[in-house]
Amino acid sequence: MGNITLEKVQKKFGETEVIPPLDLAIEDGEFVVFVGPSGCGKSTLLRLIAGLEDVSSGEIRIDGKPATDLPPAKRGLAMVFQSYALYPHMSVRKNIAFPLKMAGLNAEEQNKRVERAAAVLNLTDYLDRRPGQLSGGQRQRVAIGRSIVREPAAFLFDEPLSNLDAALRVGMRLEITELHERLKTTMIYVTHDQVEAMTMADKIVVLRAGHVEQVGSPLELYRNPRNLFVAGFIGSPKMNLMTGEHAARHDCTTIGVRPEHMRIVEEGGTFTGRIIVSEHLGSDTFFHVEIPGMDEPMTVRADGEIGLRHGDTIHLEPEARQIHRFDEKGLRLA
Amino acid sequence: MATQHSRAAARFMIAPSVIVLLLWMAVPLALTLYFSFLRYNLLMPGENPFVGWENYSYFLTDPAFQTAIVNTLILVLGVLFITVLGGIGLAVLLDQPMWGTGIVRIMVISPFFVMPTVSALVWKNMFMNPVNGLFAFLAGTFGMAPFDFLTQAPLASIVGIVSWQWLPFATLILLTAMQSLDSEQLEAAEMDGASAWSRFWYIKLPHLARAITVVVLIQTIFLLSIFAEILVTTNGGPGTASTNLTYLVYAESLLRFDVGTGSAGGVVAIILANIVAIFLMRMIGKNLDA
């Protein structure tokens, strides 16, 4: 019902190529997250799929049918915008019913579907309010409600959580994941937050400057990043990357070790340095360690109760099986 | 820091402008009120006795008064109707991306810079004149008899001239309002399956509601006191066919030199304008709150 295929899709704004020819297949029922730094073209890609931008060349197929030249409304997709884009002069009920009204459904059917969507999203008590009288999270739910009543082939989310505060964001993240479990509809979700990508996705598409850097499940990307960019982007805090003699010892140009794969040892160890910052999160402690001969401080994850503090000397040993090796082009070596 | 001392100083500092403003308003108003109760005609010098409500009864029972009220209403409502509808239309068009937007926008706004007397003269002599006017020429090329606008349809002609002057104002306000509409709302409506017309009707027009009320309010205030256009084109005629309240007051006091009746008319105009203002503020206040 909701598979989407992109074939050599390209987007140019004037002379600048925002998205070089790109192939991508999204299976029915998948939760796909487009992730990348700002300006990487992830929102543009979403808007191309939605039909809000025209592709410069290439083809988009939805449900196996060509959709490249279809207007947005005919593609059977629903979108949740970053600003929610609720209609401020309409009540919540009218907002949710708007796509149904545009589709020409009768009032009774509209009401039935709105009530059902409101029940799913806990909005029943707010149906007669205006968007201006709702909190950020409630507005978000109204925007989702407006998209689910149409029973679309796929949902498109454009950074839907970036306007919410941290606590609400975690809550809405769960709600969207639950919604996906329940509806089993294809969802495409754009974010710059790799935590959202890791926690929600079945499949992550990492983008940089319009290029697809890697496609895979969250754990695949975590375990086997295809290149230095993905290695640095997925995982928090970032992977430690080292060049020079440390890399040469492993026959490569760059090695990468995640902070959680650095062991703290009593003596010896591959690296020895001084703690310049320690961040205590309670469950974990992150140390930023200055190591002589290295440009950037190394990040290390340690137990929350560890006794080390700012200024202490620390000995570190990477876990041998968790060292990622990259060649001079930044590509992963097996 | 609003201490007792600084507040006193502030009052002292703004006193001159407040006093000037008060004199500016209060003295003419008081004099008008005073004159309106006197028999005061410049053609009959001598005593100016106090006559009570006589001037008011003359003014209100004058057949020209009723015509003037009706004409004022037609003028205000007609111009509002044309400028609001036209302004919405032009705002929608000018909001579209096109080549030469900057120049077109300046051209659309330029009528507002032409002073009323000049634009009325241009319309009267260069467009509506039955002998030399452009409209007469156009009618002639189609073999039709030229239409004498200012004689045969004086009030409609004035409505047209004034609408031409105020259309840019409405367009400007509505265009800026249109541009403040969040483009994501339109995109959302597009995804929801709304046609171009539905997007206009359900999204753009409600968004403009506030700006439309502002246009109606401001224009009403100015349109109630239209004078120059009438003086320059028809002199209120033929007969009283294009006389509005402002022009009637002018005719009483400066054509018939009856200062007393003119003043009474002025007071009536003030009262009527305030009644309109109160209704408008009520109506619009509600709209602005929402």
Side-chain angles (χ1 to χ4, degrees):
Chain A
M1 255 305 284
N3 49 17
I4 297 170
T5 326
L6 275 65
E7 265 174 32
K8 301 213 168 31
V9 166
Q10 185 200 28
K11 178 66 185 172
K12 283 180 180 175
F13 287 117
E15 285 300 297
T16 33
E17 188 179 58
V18 188
I19 295 184
L22 173 153
D23 294 301
L24 189 65
I26 293 162
E27 303 297 328
D28 182 30
E30 251 182 342
F31 198 121
V32 179
V33 174
F34 294 170
V35 68
S38 40
C40 70
K42 55 191 189 296
S43 282
T44 310
L45 191 57
L46 192 75
R47 293 168 62 84
L48 287 174
I49 296 173
L52 294 171
E53 302 279 355
D54 295 323
V55 296
S56 303
S57 68
E59 196 172 0
I60 298 173
R61 274 204 294 275
I62 299 171
D63 277 348
K65 291 187 281 282
T68 320
D69 299 318
L70 284 182
K74 294 265 159 65
R75 298 191 181 195
L77 307 174
M79 186 150 165
V80 175
F81 291 83
Q82 185 174 5
S83 66
Y84 317 138
L86 300 178
Y87 312 127
H89 51 274
M90 298 184 197
S91 65
V92 168
R93 182 188 299 279
K94 286 194 174 154
N95 260 286
I96 297 178
F98 189 72
L100 303 176
K101 189 173 175 180
M102 289 300 113
L105 264 67
N106 62 39
E108 200 182 321
E109 178 69 22
Q110 282 183 29
N111 239 330
K112 217 167 71 192
R113 290 222 213 166
V114 170
E115 298 285 348
R116 209 187 314 150
V120 170
L121 294 161
N122 288 328
L123 284 170
T124 313
D125 296 341
Y126 306 105
L127 277 177
D128 294 312
R129 297 215 195 155
R130 296 268 180 107
Q133 298 164 311
L134 301 179
S135 70
Q138 288 164 344
R139 283 183 214 183
Q140 181 66 72
R141 284 208 287 271
V142 176
I144 294 173
R146 194 172 60 186
S147 62
I148 65 175
V149 285
R150 293 178 56 202
E151 296 169 2
F155 291 99
L156 312 177
F157 291 93
D158 188 6
E159 307 209 16
L161 304 185
S162 53
N163 288 345
L164 299 177
D165 64 54
L168 259 177
R169 207 178 296 172
V170 175
M172 282 310 294
R173 209 163 75 196
L174 283 175
E175 281 188 40
I176 294 177
T177 314
E178 267 177 27
L179 194 69
H180 179 243
E181 292 296 323
R182 199 159 0 151
L183 299 175
K184 304 268 183 240
T185 313
T186 314
M187 291 191 179
I188 306 177
Y189 187 105
V190 162
T191 180
H192 59 259
D193 182 352
Q194 59 94 21
V195 177
E196 279 175 25
M198 293 295 282
T199 50
M200 301 169 89
D202 294 324
K203 182 154 100 183
I204 297 181
V205 178
V206 182
L207 290 158
R208 177 172 59 164
H211 288 278
V212 175
E213 295 288 325
Q214 191 171 1
V215 180
S217 74
L219 282 181
E220 251 172 75
L221 265 57
Y222 177 80
R223 289 193 191 123
N224 303 314
R226 202 170 68 86
N227 56 28
L228 276 175
F229 178 78
V230 179
F233 197 79
I234 299 292
S236 170
K238 280 175 69 170
M239 184 189 277
N240 297 300
L241 298 171
M242 288 150 276
T243 51
E245 50 163 325
H246 299 295
R249 240 182 286 149
H250 293 90
D251 299 323
C252 60
T253 320
T254 313
I255 58 167
V257 182
R258 295 194 184 277
E260 51 271 40
H261 298 142
M262 272 303 178
R263 268 188 308 125
I264 299 171
V265 290
E266 291 290 321
E267 280 194 356
T270 315
F271 307 102
T272 300
R274 204 169 55 86
I275 298 172
I276 51 169
V277 176
S278 63
E279 297 171 317
H280 297 280
L281 303 182
S283 58
D284 299 305
T285 303
F286 293 111
F287 292 123
H288 297 263
V289 181
E290 193 179 56
I291 290 169
M294 281 175 60
D295 299 338
E296 284 181 31
M298 188 178 281
T299 317
V300 181
R301 193 186 81 177
D303 190 75
E305 305 294 335
I306 200 158
L308 293 164
R309 45 180 45 244
H310 173 82
D312 289 351
T313 304
I314 191 170
H315 303 278
L316 300 167
E317 180 63 40
E319 286 173 30
R321 283 187 303 147
Q322 304 286 5
I323 297 175
H324 303 269
R325 296 158 63 239
F326 301 95
D327 66 12
E328 67 275 13
K329 285 184 199 138
L331 289 175
R332 178 186 186 78
L333 290 168
Chain B
M1 211 168 54
T3 60
Q4 200 88 33
H5 186 75
S6 69
R7 244 176 286 152
R11 275 193 205 123
F12 180 72
M13 300 292 222
I14 60 170
S17 44
V18 171
I19 290 167
V20 168
L21 261 178
L22 268 180
L23 290 178
W24 205 277
M25 270 177 51
V27 172
L29 184 65
L31 276 176
T32 308
L33 273 172
Y34 173 64
F35 289 150
S36 72
F37 291 107
L38 297 184
R39 180 174 299 148
Y40 187 178
N41 192 317
L42 298 178
L43 295 177
M44 290 180 275
E47 292 283 295
N48 292 325
F50 181 80
V51 290
W53 298 98
E54 192 185 277
N55 288 326
Y56 287 91
S57 78
Y58 275 136
F59 188 80
L60 293 175
T61 52
D62 185 347
F65 173 72
Q66 272 190 14
T67 326
I69 292 281
V70 172
N71 286 346
T72 308
L73 282 179
I74 292 174
L75 199 54
V76 171
L77 295 179
V79 174
L80 279 180
F81 182 76
I82 293 173
T83 51
V84 169
L85 280 193
I88 292 171
L90 279 175
V92 169
L93 287 179
L94 291 174
D95 196 34
Q96 311 296 322
M98 59 172 178
W99 186 82
T101 317
I103 291 172
V104 171
R105 281 186 193 162
I106 288 176
M107 275 168 53
V108 166
I109 287 152
S110 55
F112 205 50
F113 299 130
V114 182
M115 55 185 103
T117 32
V118 174
S119 70
L121 277 174
V122 168
W123 275 94
K124 180 189 180 186
N125 295 326
M126 299 181 74
F127 291 102
M128 292 174 169
N129 189 296
V131 180
N132 305 315
L134 188 68
F135 295 149
F137 170 76
L138 285 178
T141 43
F142 291 108
M144 292 188 288
F147 187 76
D148 190 355
F149 288 90
L150 291 171
T151 314
Q152 282 160 296
L155 196 59
S157 304
I158 291 172
V159 168
I161 294 172
V162 177
S163 298
W164 178 81
Q165 279 172 6
W166 281 92
L167 189 58
F169 174 78
T171 307
L172 195 65
I173 302 259
L174 295 173
L175 178 62
T176 45
M178 191 77 91
Q179 284 170 342
S180 74
L181 178 58
D182 178 14
S183 64
E184 284 198 345
Q185 269 182 39
L186 289 176
E187 287 176 347
E190 206 180 334
M191 300 274 317
D192 284 345
S195 62
W197 169 253
S198 299
R199 262 174 281 156
F200 171 74
W201 188 253
Y202 291 109
I203 312 294
K204 287 184 184 172
L205 205 55
H207 177 78
L208 289 183
R210 202 172 284 202
I212 291 173
T213 50
V214 170
V215 168
V216 169
L217 176 68
I218 295 178
Q219 286 201 12
T220 307
I221 293 168
F222 283 92
L223 294 177
L224 278 172
S225 58
I226 286 202
F227 174 72
E229 291 84 346
I230 298 173
L231 181 77
V232 169
T233 52
T234 63
N235 269 316
T240 52
S242 60
T243 298
N244 69 351
L245 206 51
T246 323
Y247 194 85
L248 187 64
V249 172
Y250 160 78
E252 287 293 345
S253 39
L254 292 162
L255 296 182
R256 273 160 233 141
F257 300 104
D258 187 345
V259 177
T261 311
S263 299
V267 174
V268 170
I270 292 169
I271 292 167
L272 289 180
N274 274 292
I275 292 171
V276 172
I278 287 168
F279 274 110
L280 271 178
M281 291 308 266
R282 282 254 176 105
M283 194 179 86
I284 283 161
K286 245 185 243 157
N287 207 333
L288 290 184
D289 281 342

